[in-house]
Amino acid sequence: MKLPSPDPNCPTCRRIQFPALQHNAQDEEIELCGRDTVQIHRKSGLDLEQWENQLANVADVRRTPFLLKVIFHEGIQFVMFRDGRVLVQGTEDRIQVRIWYDRYIGS
């Protein structure tokens, strides 16, 4: 598998730091380098069963014991975790990420 060259500005690629995994990253958007994904951690917890029922009306949803995957027809996906983290996949544009997050999950 051919991988792109490490991003010289990425703390994970160059300095082996993992800011997306730190709990003090709450209420921030963190771009996951090279993944077309932004993580948002604004809530202290998510009830995946509740969100599955709520979002099933607007997207395809798949729940495991660990996460809820929400697939919108516009090419955006959410991967939601019980601890409150949400990965918004399909864009690295933080404004678009906030719009999608606020529209479906809220602040």
Side-chain angles (χ1 to χ4, degrees), residues 9-99:
N9 298 317
C10 174
T12 302
C13 291
R14 288 294 185 194
R15 295 186 294 273
I16 316 300
Q17 297 173 348
F18 303 95
L21 299 177
Q22 297 173 354
H23 284 287
N24 65 358
Q26 191 160 345
D27 202 24
E28 293 181 21
E29 296 97 16
I30 299 173
E31 185 178 325
L32 304 183
C33 176
R35 308 297 290 174
D36 209 20
T37 300
V38 176
Q39 175 179 277
I40 297 180
H41 195 171
R42 291 170 59 189
K43 297 186 178 288
S44 59
L46 294 170
D47 180 338
L48 298 183
E49 295 83 8
Q50 172 196 344
W51 284 103
E52 177 182 24
N53 293 331
Q54 185 171 335
L55 293 172
N57 298 322
V58 295
D60 297 324
V61 294
R62 296 182 207 139
R63 184 169 46 92
T64 75
F66 309 104
L67 60 88
L68 177 66
K69 187 162 193 168
V70 182
I71 304 166
F72 296 96
H73 299 288
E74 294 86 351
I76 298 294
Q77 298 181 31
F78 291 169
V79 180
M80 303 171 69
F81 298 92
R82 291 191 187 281
D83 68 357
R85 290 177 296 126
V86 176
L87 302 179
V88 180
Q89 300 176 321
T91 183
E92 291 179 348
D93 181 335
R94 290 179 186 219
I95 293 171
Q96 286 299 314
V97 166
R98 273 287 188 182
I99 289 169

